[in-house]
Amino acid sequence: MPSTITEGYDELRARVQAAPKYGNDDDYVDDIAREIGNFFYQEVHKYKDINGNHFLSAFMGISNYLPTGKVLGATPDGRKATEPISEGVSPYVGTDTSTPLAAMRSAAKLNQDIHSGGTLLNLRLNQDLVATKRGQANLGAMIQSYFALGAFHVQFNTVSTETLRKAQAHPEDYKDLLVRVAGYSTQFVNLSKSMQDSIIARNAHETF
């Protein structure tokens, strides 16, 4: 079980939060992410099941990223004990502070074709970005570029923080509001408060 201490060490935490983060097209940190992903695959692939087949690796913090976080201690990126982890190959919530294309470029640097699953990228866009035909065309071009870089799966929420907060406060008025959680979509108002908060915490990109 994680430490019950979820507060303290504020100065140290501020320092690690200020360090470069995966999800911003920074080769320094993205190379570390790729190295860890490759090591994970190589270690798992060494072993075989009873039928003689190599075990496969996957980034499976998809729909279980909240419960996994609840039993995980604090991590060196500044995440506190019991807080949600990241999902799939997505940056940790709020750390993709550049552009959505930068987040895509970071994710595409991972060797996604060697893993059997979980190679999904979750992004949240301000709804104004895709409100026009030009914005929708830009999004389509960005997705094509992502796949051309060797990536596998990306999905978006295009709901503003304001709308999500209103849905939390007045769920009766937002019963038809759908959101992409991780590997699935559902009505926002049917999610737990902690799951709703984790979606709201994702950085809402204002520009492409």
Side-chain angles (χ1 to χ4, degrees), residues 26-118:
D26 184 330
D27 284 337
Y28 168 72
V29 67
D30 293 345
D31 286 348
I32 297 173
R34 182 170 60 245
E35 181 179 353
I36 292 172
N38 289 346
F39 177 79
F40 173 43
Y41 167 78
Q42 291 161 4
E43 286 299 307
V44 169
H45 202 64
K46 288 179 182 178
Y47 302 95
K48 297 181 179 181
D49 61 22
I50 59 174
N51 296 314
N53 300 312
H54 290 281
F55 284 107
L56 302 175
S57 58
F59 297 103
M60 295 311 293
I62 304 176
S63 52
N64 63 347
Y65 64 99
L66 258 72
T68 299
K70 289 183 181 298
V71 297
L72 188 65
T75 45
D77 59 344
R79 175 194 152 273
K80 293 183 178 180
T82 74
E83 289 185 346
I85 60 172
S86 59
E87 356 50 267
V89 296
S90 305
Y92 185 67
V93 290
T95 59
D96 50 329
T97 56
S98 185
T99 65
L101 184 56
M104 287 176 157
R105 288 177 62 86
S106 286
K109 293 173 190 176
L110 301 175
N111 293 326
Q112 298 193 14
D113 57 338
I114 64 176
H115 301 285
S116 64

Side-chain angles (χ1 to χ4, degrees), residues 61-184:
I62 304 176
S63 52
N64 63 347
Y65 64 99
L66 258 72
T68 299
K70 289 183 181 298
V71 297
L72 188 65
T75 45
D77 59 344
R79 175 194 152 273
K80 293 183 178 180
T82 74
E83 289 185 346
I85 60 172
S86 59
E87 356 50 267
V89 296
S90 305
Y92 185 67
V93 290
T95 59
D96 50 329
T97 56
S98 185
T99 65
L101 184 56
M104 287 176 157
R105 288 177 62 86
S106 286
K109 293 173 190 176
L110 301 175
N111 293 326
Q112 298 193 14
D113 57 338
I114 64 176
H115 301 285
S116 64
T119 52
L120 66 87
L121 172 62
N122 276 324
L123 290 174
R124 189 154 78 92
L125 308 177
N126 187 296
Q127 59 194 35
D128 293 340
L129 280 183
V130 293
T132 65
K133 288 186 177 180
R134 180 174 181 178
Q136 293 161 14
N138 288 340
L139 177 60
M142 190 168 66
I143 293 171
Q144 288 182 322
S145 297
Y146 183 56
F147 292 148
L149 291 172
F152 177 71
H153 184 174
V154 61
Q155 52 199 24
F156 304 89
N157 278 315
T158 57
V159 185
S160 70
T161 298
E162 180 184 7
T163 298
L164 294 174
R165 290 295 187 195
K166 287 181 179 179
Q168 278 189 318
H170 304 285
E172 67 280 2
D173 297 330
Y174 293 86
K175 293 180 180 180
D176 61 346
L177 178 61
L178 290 175
V179 292
R180 190 69 175 171
V181 179
Y184 63 98

